[in-house]
Coordinates of all heavy atoms in Angstrom, one line a residue:
M78 N 164.5 137.6 126.5 CA 165.4 136.4 126.7 C 164.5 135.2 126.8 O 163.7 135.1 127.6 CB 166.3 136.6 127.9 CG 167.3 135.5 128.1 SD 168.3 135.8 129.5 CE 169.7 136.5 128.7
S79 N 164.8 134.2 126.0 CA 164.0 133.0 125.9 C 164.6 131.9 126.8 O 165.8 131.7 126.7 CB 163.9 132.5 124.5 OG 163.3 131.2 124.5
R80 N 163.8 131.4 127.7 CA 164.4 130.3 128.6 C 163.6 129.1 128.3 O 162.3 129.1 128.3 CB 164.2 130.7 130.1 CG 165.1 131.9 130.4 CD 164.9 132.3 131.8 NE 165.5 131.2 132.7 CZ 165.7 131.4 134.0 NH1 165.3 132.5 134.6 NH2 166.3 130.4 134.7
S81 N 164.2 128.0 128.2 CA 163.5 126.7 128.0 C 163.2 126.2 129.4 O 164.0 126.3 130.3 CB 164.4 125.7 127.2 OG 165.5 125.4 127.9
R82 N 162.0 125.6 129.5 CA 161.6 125.1 130.8 C 162.1 123.6 130.9 O 162.1 122.9 130.0 CB 160.1 125.1 130.8 CG 159.5 126.5 130.8 CD 158.1 126.4 131.1 NE 157.9 126.1 132.5 CZ 156.8 126.2 133.2 NH1 155.7 126.7 132.5 NH2 156.7 125.9 134.4
L83 N 162.5 123.3 132.1 CA 162.9 122.0 132.4 C 161.7 121.1 132.5 O 160.7 121.5 133.0 CB 163.7 121.9 133.7 CG 165.0 122.7 133.7 CD1 165.6 122.7 135.2 CD2 166.0 122.1 132.8
S84 N 161.9 119.8 132.1 CA 160.8 118.9 132.2 C 160.6 118.5 133.7 O 161.5 118.5 134.5 CB 161.0 117.7 131.4 OG 162.2 117.0 131.8
A85 N 159.4 118.2 134.0 CA 159.1 117.8 135.4 C 159.8 116.5 135.7 O 159.9 115.6 134.9 CB 157.6 117.6 135.6
P86 N 160.3 116.4 136.9 CA 160.9 115.1 137.3 C 159.9 114.0 137.5 O 158.7 114.3 137.7 CB 161.6 115.4 138.7 CG 160.7 116.5 139.2 CD 160.3 117.3 138.0
P87 N 160.3 112.8 137.3 CA 159.3 111.7 137.5 C 158.8 111.6 138.9 O 159.5 112.0 139.9 CB 160.1 110.4 137.1 CG 161.5 110.8 137.3 CD 161.6 112.3 137.1
P88 N 157.6 111.1 139.1 CA 157.1 111.0 140.5 C 157.9 110.1 141.3 O 158.4 109.1 140.8 CB 155.6 110.6 140.3 CG 155.6 110.0 138.9 CD 156.7 110.6 138.1
L89 N 158.0 110.3 142.6 CA 158.7 109.4 143.5 C 157.8 108.2 143.8 O 156.6 108.3 144.0 CB 159.0 110.1 144.8 CG 160.0 111.3 144.7 CD1 160.2 112.0 146.0 CD2 161.3 110.8 144.2
E90 N 158.4 107.1 143.8 CA 157.7 105.9 144.2 C 158.0 105.5 145.6 O 159.2 105.5 146.0 CB 158.1 104.7 143.2 CG 157.5 104.9 141.9 CD 156.0 104.7 141.8 OE1 155.4 103.9 142.6 OE2 155.3 105.4 141.1
A91 N 157.0 105.2 146.4 CA 157.2 104.7 147.8 C 156.8 103.3 147.9 O 156.1 102.7 147.0 CB 156.4 105.6 148.7
N92 N 157.3 102.6 148.9 CA 156.9 101.2 149.2 C 155.6 101.3 150.0 O 155.6 101.4 151.2 CB 158.0 100.5 149.9 CG 157.7 99.1 150.1 OD1 156.5 98.6 150.0 ND2 158.7 98.3 150.5
D93 N 154.5 101.4 149.3 CA 153.2 101.6 149.9 C 152.9 100.5 151.0 O 152.2 100.8 152.0 CB 152.1 101.7 148.9 CG 152.3 102.8 147.9 OD1 152.9 103.9 148.4 OD2 151.9 102.7 146.7
Q94 N 153.2 99.3 150.7 CA 152.9 98.2 151.7 C 153.7 98.4 152.9 O 153.2 98.2 154.0 CB 153.2 96.9 151.1 CG 152.1 96.3 150.3 CD 152.4 94.8 150.0 OE1 153.2 94.6 149.1 NE2 151.6 93.9 150.5
L95 N 154.9 98.9 152.8 CA 155.7 99.1 154.0 C 155.2 100.3 154.8 O 155.1 100.2 156.1 CB 157.2 99.4 153.7 CG 158.1 99.7 154.8 CD1 158.2 98.6 155.8 CD2 159.5 100.1 154.3
V96 N 154.7 101.3 154.2 CA 154.1 102.5 154.8 C 152.9 102.0 155.6 O 152.7 102.3 156.7 CB 153.8 103.6 153.8 CG1 153.0 104.7 154.5 CG2 155.1 104.1 153.2
A97 N 152.0 101.2 154.9 CA 150.8 100.7 155.5 C 151.1 99.8 156.7 O 150.4 99.9 157.7 CB 149.9 100.0 154.5
A98 N 152.1 99.0 156.6 CA 152.5 98.1 157.7 C 153.0 98.8 158.9 O 152.6 98.5 160.0 CB 153.5 97.1 157.2
V99 N 153.8 99.8 158.7 CA 154.3 100.6 159.8 C 153.2 101.4 160.5 O 153.2 101.4 161.7 CB 155.5 101.6 159.3 CG1 155.8 102.6 160.4 CG2 156.7 100.8 158.9
I100 N 152.4 102.0 159.8 CA 151.3 102.7 160.4 C 150.3 101.8 161.1 O 149.9 102.1 162.2 CB 150.5 103.6 159.3 CG1 151.5 104.7 158.8 CG2 149.2 104.1 159.9 CD1 150.9 105.5 157.7
T101 N 150.0 100.6 160.5 CA 149.2 99.6 161.2 C 149.8 99.1 162.5 O 149.1 99.0 163.5 CB 148.9 98.4 160.2 OG1 148.3 98.9 159.0 CG2 148.0 97.4 160.9
A102 N 151.1 98.9 162.4 CA 151.8 98.5 163.7 C 151.7 99.6 164.7 O 151.6 99.3 165.9 CB 153.3 98.2 163.3
G103 N 151.8 100.8 164.3 CA 151.7 101.9 165.3 C 150.3 101.9 165.9 O 150.2 102.1 167.2
W104 N 149.3 101.7 165.2 CA 147.9 101.7 165.7 C 147.8 100.5 166.7 O 147.2 100.5 167.7 CB 146.9 101.6 164.6 CG 146.6 102.9 164.0 CD1 146.8 103.3 162.7 CD2 145.9 104.0 164.6 NE1 146.4 104.6 162.5 CE2 145.8 105.0 163.7 CE3 145.4 104.3 165.9 CZ2 145.3 106.3 164.0 CZ3 144.9 105.5 166.2 CH2 144.8 106.5 165.2
A105 N 148.4 99.3 166.3 CA 148.3 98.1 167.1 C 149.1 98.4 168.4 O 148.6 97.9 169.5 CB 148.9 96.9 166.4
V106 N 150.2 99.0 168.4 CA 150.9 99.3 169.7 C 150.1 100.2 170.5 O 150.0 100.0 171.8 CB 152.3 99.9 169.4 CG1 153.0 100.5 170.6 CG2 153.2 98.9 168.7
A107 N 149.5 101.2 169.9 CA 148.7 102.2 170.7 C 147.5 101.4 171.3 O 147.1 101.7 172.5 CB 148.2 103.3 169.8
L108 N 146.9 100.5 170.6 CA 145.8 99.7 171.1 C 146.2 98.9 172.3 O 145.5 98.8 173.3 CB 145.2 98.8 170.0 CG 144.1 97.9 170.4 CD1 142.9 98.7 170.8 CD2 143.7 97.0 169.2
V109 N 147.3 98.2 172.2 CA 147.8 97.4 173.3 C 148.1 98.2 174.5 O 147.6 97.9 175.6 CB 149.1 96.6 172.9 CG1 149.7 95.9 174.1 CG2 148.7 95.6 171.8
V110 N 148.7 99.4 174.3 CA 148.9 100.3 175.5 C 147.6 100.7 176.1 O 147.5 100.7 177.3 CB 149.8 101.5 175.0 CG1 149.8 102.5 176.1 CG2 151.2 101.0 174.6
L111 N 146.7 101.1 175.3 CA 145.4 101.5 175.8 C 144.6 100.4 176.5 O 144.0 100.6 177.5 CB 144.5 102.2 174.8 CG 145.0 103.5 174.3 CD1 144.1 104.0 173.1 CD2 145.0 104.6 175.4
L112 N 144.7 99.2 176.0 CA 144.1 98.1 176.6 C 144.7 97.7 178.0 O 144.0 97.4 178.9 CB 144.1 96.9 175.7 CG 143.1 97.0 174.5 CD1 143.3 95.8 173.6 CD2 141.7 97.1 175.0
V113 N 146.1 97.9 178.0 CA 146.8 97.6 179.3 C 146.4 98.6 180.3 O 146.2 98.3 181.5 CB 148.3 97.6 179.1 CG1 149.0 97.6 180.4 CG2 148.7 96.3 178.3
L114 N 146.3 99.9 179.9 CA 145.9 101.0 180.8 C 144.5 101.3 180.9 O 144.1 102.4 181.4 CB 146.7 102.2 180.4 CG 148.2 102.1 180.4 CD1 148.9 103.3 179.8 CD2 148.8 101.8 181.8
R115 N 143.6 100.4 180.4 CA 142.2 100.7 180.3 C 141.6 101.2 181.6 O 140.7 102.1 181.6 CB 141.5 99.5 179.8 CG 140.0 99.6 179.7 CD 139.3 98.4 179.2 NE 140.2 97.2 179.4 CZ 140.0 96.0 178.9 NH1 139.0 95.9 178.1 NH2 140.8 95.0 179.1
E116 N 141.9 100.6 182.7 CA 141.3 100.9 184.0 C 141.7 102.3 184.5 O 141.0 103.0 185.3 CB 141.7 99.9 185.1 CG 141.2 98.5 184.8 CD 139.7 98.5 184.6 OE1 138.9 99.2 185.3 OE2 139.2 97.8 183.7
Q117 N 142.8 102.9 184.0 CA 143.3 104.2 184.4 C 142.7 105.3 183.4 O 142.9 106.5 183.7 CB 144.8 104.2 184.4 CG 145.4 103.3 185.4 CD 146.9 103.2 185.2 OE1 147.5 103.9 184.4 NE2 147.5 102.3 186.0
I118 N 142.1 104.9 182.4 CA 141.5 105.9 181.4 C 140.1 106.2 181.9 O 139.3 105.3 182.1 CB 141.5 105.3 180.0 CG1 142.9 104.9 179.5 CG2 140.9 106.3 179.0 CD1 142.9 104.2 178.2
P119 N 139.8 107.5 182.0 CA 138.4 107.8 182.4 C 137.4 107.3 181.3 O 137.7 107.2 180.1 CB 138.4 109.3 182.4 CG 139.8 109.8 182.2 CD 140.6 108.6 181.7
P120 N 136.2 106.9 181.7 CA 135.2 106.4 180.8 C 134.9 107.3 179.6 O 134.7 106.8 178.5 CB 134.0 106.1 181.6 CG 134.5 105.9 183.0 CD 135.7 106.8 183.1
S121 N 135.0 108.6 179.8 CA 134.7 109.5 178.8 C 135.8 109.6 177.7 O 135.7 110.1 176.6 CB 134.5 110.9 179.3 OG 135.7 111.4 179.9
E122 N 137.0 109.0 178.0 CA 138.1 109.0 177.1 C 138.4 107.6 176.5 O 139.4 107.4 175.7 CB 139.4 109.5 177.8 CG 139.3 110.9 178.2 CD 139.2 111.9 177.1 OE1 139.9 111.7 176.1 OE2 138.5 112.8 177.2
R123 N 137.6 106.6 176.7 CA 137.8 105.3 176.2 C 137.5 105.1 174.8 O 137.8 104.1 174.2 CB 137.0 104.3 177.1 CG 137.6 104.2 178.5 CD 137.1 103.0 179.2 NE 137.7 103.1 180.6 CZ 137.1 102.5 181.6 NH1 136.0 101.9 181.5 NH2 137.7 102.6 182.8
W124 N 137.0 106.2 174.2 CA 136.7 106.1 172.7 C 138.0 106.0 172.0 O 138.0 105.5 170.8 CB 135.9 107.3 172.3 CG 136.6 108.6 172.5 CD1 136.4 109.4 173.7 CD2 137.5 109.3 171.7 NE1 137.2 110.5 173.6 CE2 137.8 110.5 172.3 CE3 138.0 109.1 170.4 CZ2 138.7 111.4 171.8 CZ3 138.9 110.0 169.9 CH2 139.2 111.2 170.6
W125 N 139.2 106.3 172.6 CA 140.4 106.2 171.9 C 140.7 104.7 171.6 O 141.4 104.4 170.6 CB 141.6 106.7 172.8 CG 141.7 108.2 172.7 CD1 141.3 109.1 173.6 CD2 142.2 109.0 171.6 NE1 141.5 110.4 173.2 CE2 142.1 110.3 171.9 CE3 142.7 108.6 170.4 CZ2 142.5 111.3 171.1 CZ3 143.1 109.6 169.5 CH2 143.0 111.0 169.9
I126 N 140.2 103.8 172.4 CA 140.4 102.4 172.2 C 139.8 102.0 170.8 O 140.4 101.3 170.0 CB 139.8 101.5 173.3 CG1 140.6 101.8 174.6 CG2 139.8 100.1 172.9 CD1 140.1 101.2 175.8
W127 N 138.6 102.5 170.6 CA 137.9 102.2 169.3 C 138.5 102.9 168.1 O 138.5 102.4 167.0 CB 136.4 102.5 169.4 CG 135.8 101.6 170.4 CD1 135.3 101.9 171.6 CD2 135.5 100.2 170.2 NE1 134.8 100.8 172.2 CE2 134.9 99.7 171.3 CE3 135.8 99.4 169.1 CZ2 134.6 98.4 171.5 CZ3 135.4 98.0 169.3 CH2 134.8 97.6 170.4
T128 N 139.2 104.1 168.4 CA 139.9 104.7 167.3 C 141.1 103.9 166.9 O 141.4 103.7 165.7 CB 140.4 106.1 167.8 OG1 139.3 106.9 168.2 CG2 141.1 106.8 166.7
C129 N 141.8 103.3 167.9 CA 142.9 102.4 167.6 C 142.4 101.1 166.8 O 143.1 100.7 165.9 CB 143.7 102.0 168.8 SG 144.5 103.4 169.5
V130 N 141.3 100.6 167.2 CA 140.7 99.4 166.6 C 140.4 99.8 165.1 O 140.8 99.0 164.2 CB 139.5 98.9 167.3 CG1 138.7 97.9 166.5 CG2 139.8 98.4 168.6
A131 N 139.8 100.9 164.9 CA 139.5 101.4 163.5 C 140.8 101.5 162.7 O 140.9 101.2 161.5 CB 138.7 102.7 163.5
G132 N 141.9 102.1 163.3 CA 143.1 102.3 162.6 C 143.8 100.9 162.2 O 144.3 100.8 161.1
V133 N 143.7 100.0 163.1 CA 144.2 98.6 162.8 C 143.4 98.0 161.7 O 144.0 97.4 160.7 CB 144.2 97.7 164.1 CG1 144.6 96.3 163.7 CG2 145.3 98.3 165.1
V134 N 142.1 98.1 161.8 CA 141.3 97.5 160.7 C 141.5 98.1 159.4 O 141.7 97.4 158.4 CB 139.8 97.5 161.1 CG1 138.9 97.2 160.0 CG2 139.5 96.6 162.3
M135 N 141.6 99.4 159.3 CA 141.8 100.1 158.1 C 143.2 99.8 157.6 O 143.5 99.7 156.3 CB 141.6 101.6 158.2 CG 140.2 102.0 158.4 SD 139.7 103.7 158.4 CE 141.1 104.6 159.0
G136 N 144.2 99.7 158.5 CA 145.5 99.3 158.0 C 145.6 97.9 157.5 O 146.3 97.7 156.5
L137 N 144.9 97.0 158.1 CA 144.8 95.6 157.5 C 144.2 95.6 156.2 O 144.6 94.9 155.2 CB 144.1 94.7 158.5 CG 144.9 94.4 159.8 CD1 144.0 93.6 160.7 CD2 146.2 93.7 159.5
F138 N 143.1 96.4 156.0 CA 142.5 96.5 154.7 C 143.5 97.1 153.7 O 143.6 96.6 152.5 CB 141.3 97.4 154.8 CG 140.7 97.7 153.4 CD1 139.9 96.7 152.8 CD2 140.9 98.9 152.8 CE1 139.4 97.0 151.5 CE2 140.3 99.2 151.6 CZ 139.6 98.2 150.9
A139 N 144.3 98.1 154.1 CA 145.3 98.7 153.2 C 146.3 97.6 152.8 O 146.7 97.6 151.6 CB 145.9 99.9 153.8
L140 N 146.7 96.8 153.7 CA 147.7 95.8 153.4 C 147.1 94.8 152.4 O 147.9 94.2 151.6 CB 148.2 95.0 154.7 CG 149.0 95.9 155.6 CD1 149.3 95.1 156.9 CD2 150.4 96.2 154.9
W141 N 145.8 94.5 152.4 CA 145.2 93.6 151.5 C 145.0 94.4 150.1 O 145.2 93.8 149.1 CB 143.9 93.2 152.0 CG 143.0 92.4 151.0 CD1 143.1 91.1 150.7 CD2 142.0 92.9 150.2 NE1 142.2 90.8 149.8 CE2 141.5 91.9 149.5 CE3 141.4 94.2 150.1 CZ2 140.4 92.0 148.6 CZ3 140.3 94.3 149.2 CH2 139.9 93.3 148.5
Y142 N 144.6 95.6 150.1 CA 144.2 96.4 149.0 C 145.4 96.9 148.1 O 145.3 96.9 146.9 CB 143.3 97.5 149.4 CG 142.7 98.3 148.2 CD1 141.8 97.8 147.4 CD2 143.2 99.6 148.0 CE1 141.3 98.5 146.3 CE2 142.7 100.3 146.9 CZ 141.8 99.8 146.1 OH 141.3 100.5 145.0
V143 N 146.4 97.4 148.8 CA 147.5 98.1 148.0 C 148.1 97.2 147.0 O 148.3 97.6 145.8 CB 148.5 98.6 149.0 CG1 149.8 99.0 148.3 CG2 148.0 99.8 149.8
P144 N 148.4 95.9 147.2 CA 149.0 95.1 146.2 C 148.1 94.9 145.0 O 148.5 95.0 143.8 CB 149.3 93.8 146.8 CG 149.3 94.0 148.3 CD 148.4 95.2 148.5
R145 N 146.8 94.8 145.2 CA 145.8 94.7 144.2 C 145.8 96.0 143.3 O 145.7 95.9 142.1 CB 144.5 94.3 144.7 CG 144.4 92.9 145.1 CD 143.4 92.6 146.2 NE 143.4 91.2 146.6 CZ 144.3 90.7 147.5 NH1 145.3 91.5 147.9 NH2 144.3 89.5 147.8
L146 N 145.8 97.1 144.0 CA 145.8 98.4 143.3 C 147.0 98.5 142.4 O 146.9 99.0 141.3 CB 145.7 99.5 144.3 CG 145.8 100.9 143.8 CD1 144.5 101.2 143.0 CD2 145.9 101.9 144.9
K147 N 148.2 98.2 143.0 CA 149.4 98.3 142.2 C 149.4 97.4 140.9 O 149.8 97.8 139.9 CB 150.6 98.0 143.0 CG 150.9 99.0 144.0 CD 152.4 99.2 144.1 CE 152.7 100.4 145.0 NZ 153.5 101.3 144.5
R148 N 148.9 96.1 141.1 CA 148.8 95.2 140.0 C 147.8 95.8 138.9 O 148.1 95.7 137.7 CB 148.3 93.8 140.4 CG 149.5 93.1 141.1 CD 149.1 91.6 141.2 NE 148.0 91.3 142.0 CZ 148.0 91.1 143.3 NH1 149.2 91.1 144.0 NH2 146.9 90.9 144.0
A149 N 146.7 96.3 139.4 CA 145.7 96.9 138.4 C 146.3 98.1 137.7 O 146.1 98.2 136.5 CB 144.4 97.3 139.2
R150 N 147.0 98.9 138.4 CA 147.7 100.1 137.7 C 148.7 99.6 136.7 O 148.9 100.2 135.6 CB 148.3 101.0 138.7 CG 147.3 101.8 139.5 CD 148.0 102.8 140.4 NE 147.0 103.6 141.1 CZ 147.3 104.4 142.1 NH1 148.5 104.5 142.6 NH2 146.3 105.1 142.7
A151 N 149.5 98.6 137.1 CA 150.5 98.0 136.1 C 149.8 97.4 134.9 O 150.3 97.6 133.8 CB 151.3 97.0 136.8
R152 N 148.7 96.7 135.1 CA 148.0 96.2 133.9 C 147.4 97.3 133.0 O 147.5 97.2 131.8 CB 146.8 95.3 134.4 CG 147.3 93.9 134.9 CD 146.1 93.0 135.0 NE 145.0 93.5 135.9 CZ 144.9 93.3 137.2 NH1 145.8 92.5 137.8 NH2 143.9 93.8 137.9
S153 N 146.9 98.3 133.7 CA 146.4 99.4 132.9 C 147.5 100.2 132.1 O 147.3 100.5 131.0 CB 145.7 100.4 133.9 OG 145.3 101.6 133.2
A154 N 148.6 100.3 132.7 CA 149.8 101.0 132.1 C 150.3 100.1 130.9 O 150.7 100.6 129.9 CB 150.9 101.3 133.1
A155 N 150.2 98.8 131.1 CA 150.7 97.9 130.0 C 149.8 97.9 128.8 O 150.2 97.8 127.7 CB 150.8 96.5 130.5
R156 N 148.5 98.2 129.0 CA 147.5 98.2 127.9 C 147.6 99.6 127.2 O 147.2 99.6 126.0 CB 146.1 98.0 128.5 CG 145.8 96.6 128.8 CD 144.3 96.4 129.0 NE 143.8 97.3 130.0 CZ 143.6 96.9 131.3 NH1 143.8 95.6 131.6 NH2 143.1 97.7 132.2
R157 N 148.1 100.6 127.8 CA 148.1 101.9 127.2 C 149.2 102.0 126.2 O 150.3 101.4 126.4 CB 148.5 103.0 128.3 CG 147.3 103.9 128.5 CD 147.7 105.0 129.5 NE 147.5 104.5 130.9 CZ 148.4 104.7 131.8 NH1 149.5 105.4 131.6 NH2 148.2 104.2 133.0
P158 N 149.0 102.7 125.0 CA 150.1 102.8 124.0 C 151.2 103.6 124.6 O 151.0 104.5 125.4 CB 149.4 103.4 122.8 CG 148.2 104.1 123.4 CD 147.8 103.3 124.6
P159 N 152.4 103.4 124.2 CA 153.5 104.2 124.7 C 153.4 105.6 124.3 O 153.0 105.9 123.1 CB 154.8 103.5 124.1 CG 154.3 102.7 123.0 CD 152.8 102.4 123.3
E160 N 153.8 106.5 125.2 CA 153.8 108.0 124.8 C 155.0 108.3 124.0 O 156.1 107.8 124.2 CB 153.8 108.8 126.1 CG 152.6 108.6 127.0 CD 152.6 109.4 128.2 OE1 153.5 110.3 128.3 OE2 151.8 109.2 129.1
S161 N 154.8 109.3 123.1 CA 156.0 109.7 122.3 C 156.9 110.6 123.1 O 156.4 111.3 124.0 CB 155.5 110.4 121.0 OG 154.8 111.6 121.4
T162 N 158.2 110.5 122.9 CA 159.1 111.3 123.7 C 159.5 112.6 123.0 O 160.2 113.4 123.6 CB 160.4 110.5 124.0 OG1 160.9 110.1 122.7 CG2 160.1 109.2 124.8
T163 N 159.0 112.8 121.9 CA 159.3 114.1 121.2 C 158.3 115.1 121.6 O 157.1 114.9 121.8 CB 159.2 113.9 119.6 OG1 157.9 113.6 119.3 CG2 160.3 112.9 119.2
S164 N 158.8 116.4 121.8 CA 157.9 117.5 122.2 C 157.8 118.4 121.0 O 158.8 118.6 120.2 CB 158.4 118.1 123.4 OG 159.7 118.6 123.2
P165 N 156.7 119.1 120.8 CA 156.5 120.0 119.7 C 157.3 121.2 119.8 O 157.9 121.7 120.6 CB 155.0 120.3 119.7 CG 154.5 119.9 121.0 CD 155.5 119.0 121.6

C-alpha cells in the first residue's frame, strides 16, 4: 500500500526580541534581589551576583543583536531565487 508523505509544516516564528527582553528582565530582577540581600548571602555564594550580571549583559547584547540578525536573514532571503513549488 502506497502512502504519500505529508509535507513538513513551516517553522514556527517567535518574537525573539520579546523573549530576550523577558529573560533579561528576569536576570535583572534576580540581580536586584541578590544585591538587596547581599549581606545575608555567604561569601562563598556571592558568585551568583556575577552570574546575574553576566545574564543581564548577555541579554542586552541579544536585544541589540537580534534585530540585526533578523534584517540580515531577510536580506539574504530576498537575494535568493524563489524555490519551485513543484515536487518530482
Side-chain angles (χ1 to χ4, degrees):
M78 182 180 265
S79 173
R80 294 179 73 170
S81 62
R82 295 188 73 166
L83 296 175
S84 62
L89 295 175
E90 286 293 323
N92 186 345
D93 299 328
Q94 271 189 293
L95 178 62
V96 171
V99 168
I100 292 172
T101 303
W104 280 114
V106 167
L108 177 61
V109 169
V110 168
L111 289 175
L112 288 175
V113 167
L114 300 175
R115 180 179 20 194
E116 297 304 320
Q117 298 172 2
I118 301 172
S121 63
E122 296 294 320
R123 290 192 184 154
W124 58 271
W125 279 106
I126 294 171
W127 292 107
T128 302
C129 292
V130 169
V133 169
V134 169
M135 290 188 328
L137 292 174
F138 173 76
L140 289 172
W141 172 82
Y142 181 72
V143 165
R145 284 154 185 77
L146 177 67
K147 287 223 178 230
R148 284 195 299 270
R150 285 182 178 172
R152 282 192 307 266
S153 176
R156 284 193 302 260
R157 250 184 277 134
E160 296 180 13
S161 65
T162 58
T163 61
S164 60

